[in-house]
Amino acid sequence: MALLQKIKSKLVSLKQIFNSGGNTGRTISMSEIMEMFSGSYNAELGSDLSEIVFFSCLKVLAENLGKMPCYVVDGDKRRMEKHSLMWFLTVKPNNYQTPAQFFTLLEFCRNYYGNTYVYINCKDNGEIEGLYPLDPRRVQIWINNSERFTERPFYYFYTDDRTGKSYYFSPEEILHFKSSVTDSSGLVGKSVREILAETFRSAKASTKLLNDLFTNGLTASAVVKYSGDLKRESQDRLLDEIIAQSKEKGRRLITLPIGFDLQKLDMSLADSQFFELKKFTALQIAAAFGISPDQINDLTKSSYASSAAQQLAFLQNTLLYILTNYEQELNCKLLTREEILSGLHFKFNQNVLLRANPETQAAIIQQLVQNSVYSINEARELLDKPACEDGDTRIVNGAFVRLQDIGVAYKNKES
């Protein structure tokens, strides 16, 4: 604990920066807040993003999460429209992002880095002021090495690369969303690109090979044959002149000195099964993310029916765990114990991913209304239509009777 106290004495709590008071004696302006948290995401993220399959998988997951609205609901699944947290979920999580941008960024960082962190900024009265994403590359988790592992506290250590200042946070101040694969402590997630490093290298190498071929006009390497002996300097000068001549004005023919011959090296992409191996690697990367082939534009074995089934499987097998992870972390960090016990919880609207074509959607809604699952106004809400008068009354076919009442009408008629 002595080490932890020493660390605390040297670090400044971020609450002293966001709220008035502390050593500053003033309230920090929003421009200074944005300066602390912006800028790092535009930095070079590495060459992995240039691999199209990897980028496509990140895009699919991030955008699917970003387009799903998140609400606070009660135990009966009713939206708590007047709850204070609804502003951050539906309007502005912070002063420079919309909810779609906010959740898209979180899911991108979670998949690219394995972890994503959000600082919960609270006012002096405990009211939440905003949710601010942190750069995952600047966050470390420090664990106090006490004797009993059940009593080992951990802290999030954040370093701002723009100001050089460092801050520590308690777990209650940070929303931490991690990947499904973690280290032995369970506190730090591992990204797919770390786990599949060799596969990514192979994918990027194949992309580089194709780029080099296109750069050279789809011309393979060649060997210059000649009689005699040339020094290394003369060889280099000769090859430079031949290469320069071949690229001049896009020409397809070159001249060679007498006694020289140009022999092309055979390199067949078809014989080496290059495209088959590249496709196999792409499917491996997509499978690691839980992405179906049609979502990375591999429509070889896809049809309309199979694509709809794959979308449902994508929701059940991939997104459902991700959504549960987000919902549970939001419940734990943003709701009080009393609110949770009363039935309040966060819920992502998954129905936005399951919208079918108009004919299928109409048939489904009609069945749900006729069987009293939905009221008319609930059905109109699905179609983005305003509510109508008396539309909250559920209807059902009057010919339906209870099992124990089957045949009662006939008995009464006979009597």
Side-chain angles (χ1 to χ4, degrees):
M1 294 298 292
L3 176 60
L4 187 58
Q5 294 297 331
K6 185 177 180 181
I7 292 172
K8 288 184 177 181
S9 65
K10 291 185 177 182
L11 298 179
V12 181
S13 175
L14 198 60
K15 286 185 178 179
Q16 297 177 357
I17 301 298
F18 275 88
N19 302 326
S20 61
N23 297 328
T24 61
R26 65 184 180 89
T27 301
I28 301 300
S29 65
M30 183 50 58
S31 61
E32 292 175 283
I33 294 175
M34 293 179 64
E35 183 180 356
M36 293 177 62
F37 289 100
S38 63
S40 58
Y41 292 107
N42 294 327
E44 178 63 37
L45 296 177
S47 57
D48 287 334
L49 279 178
S50 63
E51 211 292 305
I52 185 61
V53 177
F54 179 55
F55 173 78
S56 300
C57 293
L58 291 177
K59 183 174 183 292
V60 167
L61 291 174
E63 291 183 354
N64 271 279
L65 187 75
K67 68 185 178 184
M68 279 187 288
C70 184
Y71 305 105
V72 178
V73 299
D74 61 12
D76 296 325
K77 309 298 182 182
R78 293 190 296 259
R79 297 177 187 174
M80 307 299 292
E81 301 290 352
K82 296 184 179 181
H83 196 283
S84 60
L85 291 173
M86 288 293 285
W87 173 266
F88 305 106
L89 297 175
T90 59
V91 184
K92 292 183 71 174
N94 49 61
N95 286 279
Y96 60 97
Q97 285 180 314
T98 63
Q101 295 169 343
F102 176 75
F103 284 109
T104 299
L105 173 62
L106 297 189
E107 183 61 9
F108 169 80
C109 291
R110 191 187 72 87
N111 288 289
Y112 190 87
Y113 299 107
N115 303 270
T116 187
Y117 308 92
V118 179
Y119 172 64
I120 307 170
N121 182 43
C122 296
K123 301 178 181 178
D124 292 335
N125 59 2
E127 180 184 355
I128 296 178
E129 181 274 334
L131 305 174
Y132 295 88
L134 302 179
D135 187 347
R137 295 169 294 181
R138 310 288 179 244
V139 179
Q140 296 177 344
I141 299 180
W142 291 5
I143 304 176
N144 184 31
N145 190 20
S146 58
E147 293 183 0
R148 296 184 60 183
F149 73 91
T150 56
E151 299 177 355
R152 293 176 183 168
F154 65 94
Y155 295 87
Y156 294 93
F157 180 81
Y158 173 70
T159 302
D160 184 5
D161 60 332
R162 300 188 65 180
T163 63
K165 295 181 179 180
S166 299
Y167 313 91
Y168 75 93
F169 309 95
S170 63
E172 293 75 21
E173 295 177 292
I174 295 292
L175 292 171
H176 182 190
F177 307 103
K178 60 180 77 72
S179 64
S180 58
V181 181
T182 63
D183 63 356
S184 58
S185 67
L187 296 177
V188 182
K190 294 185 178 181
S191 65
V192 173
R193 66 191 182 96
E194 291 177 314
I195 300 171
L196 302 181
E198 288 295 333
T199 304
F200 276 106
R201 275 195 286 269
S202 299
K204 287 185 290 185
S206 64
T207 301
K208 185 178 183 302
L209 174 61
L210 283 181
N211 291 339
D212 292 341
L213 282 177
F214 280 109
T215 302
N216 295 325
L218 295 179
T219 301
S221 301
V223 174
V224 178
K225 299 172 62 177
Y226 60 91
S227 301
D229 188 17
L230 291 177
K231 294 183 179 180
R232 182 59 182 268
E233 294 79 6
S234 301
Q235 293 178 12
D236 294 339
R237 187 167 58 254
L238 174 64
L239 292 178
D240 290 340
E241 291 177 358
I242 294 176
I243 293 174
Q245 185 183 168
S246 64
K247 293 183 178 181
E248 183 179 338
K249 297 181 181 180
R251 64 171 63 186
R252 307 296 296 173
L253 299 174
I254 61 174
T255 59
L256 292 175
I258 298 176
F260 284 73
D261 184 22
L262 189 67
Q263 181 177 349
K264 185 179 70 172
L265 294 178
D266 290 332
M267 183 183 63
S268 172
L269 295 178
D271 293 342
S272 62
Q273 295 186 319
F274 174 82
F275 294 106
E276 288 80 0
L277 292 175
K278 185 175 177 63
K279 179 180 178 181
F280 178 69
T281 302
L283 293 177
Q284 284 183 313
I285 295 175
F289 281 100
I291 303 296
S292 57
D294 67 312
Q295 290 175 308
I296 57 171
N297 289 330
D298 183 0
L299 305 177
T300 307
K301 299 181 180 179
S302 294
S303 62
Y304 179 83
S306 65
S307 296
Q310 287 177 355
Q311 180 69 7
L312 179 60
F314 172 65
L315 174 61
Q316 294 176 340
N317 300 331
T318 303
L319 285 183
L320 190 58
Y321 169 80
I322 297 174
L323 297 179
T324 302
N325 183 17
Y326 276 90
E327 290 169 353
Q328 291 181 353
E329 183 72 4
L330 292 171
N331 293 339
C332 180
K333 301 293 179 63
L334 298 184
L335 296 178
T336 63
R337 176 184 287 267
E338 291 74 18
E339 288 177 324
I340 295 175
L341 293 178
S342 67
L344 294 186
H345 59 279
F346 288 89
K347 184 67 177 176
F348 282 89
N349 185 5
Q350 306 170 11
N351 292 327
V352 298
L353 301 180
L354 299 176
R355 292 176 180 172
N357 60 75
E359 294 79 9
T360 305
Q361 187 179 38
I364 294 174
I365 292 178
Q366 181 182 9
Q367 292 179 9
L368 293 174
V369 171
Q370 289 179 349
N371 290 281
S372 193
V373 177
Y374 284 170
S375 67
I376 294 178
N377 280 342
E378 288 173 333
R380 292 177 64 85
E381 182 181 355
L382 293 176
L383 299 174
D384 294 327
K385 299 294 183 181
C388 62
E389 187 177 357
D390 298 328
D392 293 324
T393 303
R394 298 181 185 274
I395 60 176
V396 69
N397 192 329
F400 291 167
V401 297
R402 297 179 301 174
L403 290 176
Q404 60 267 32
D405 293 336
I406 293 178
V408 171
Y410 299 101
K411 294 180 181 180
N412 295 336
K413 185 176 181 180
E414 291 174 358
S415 62

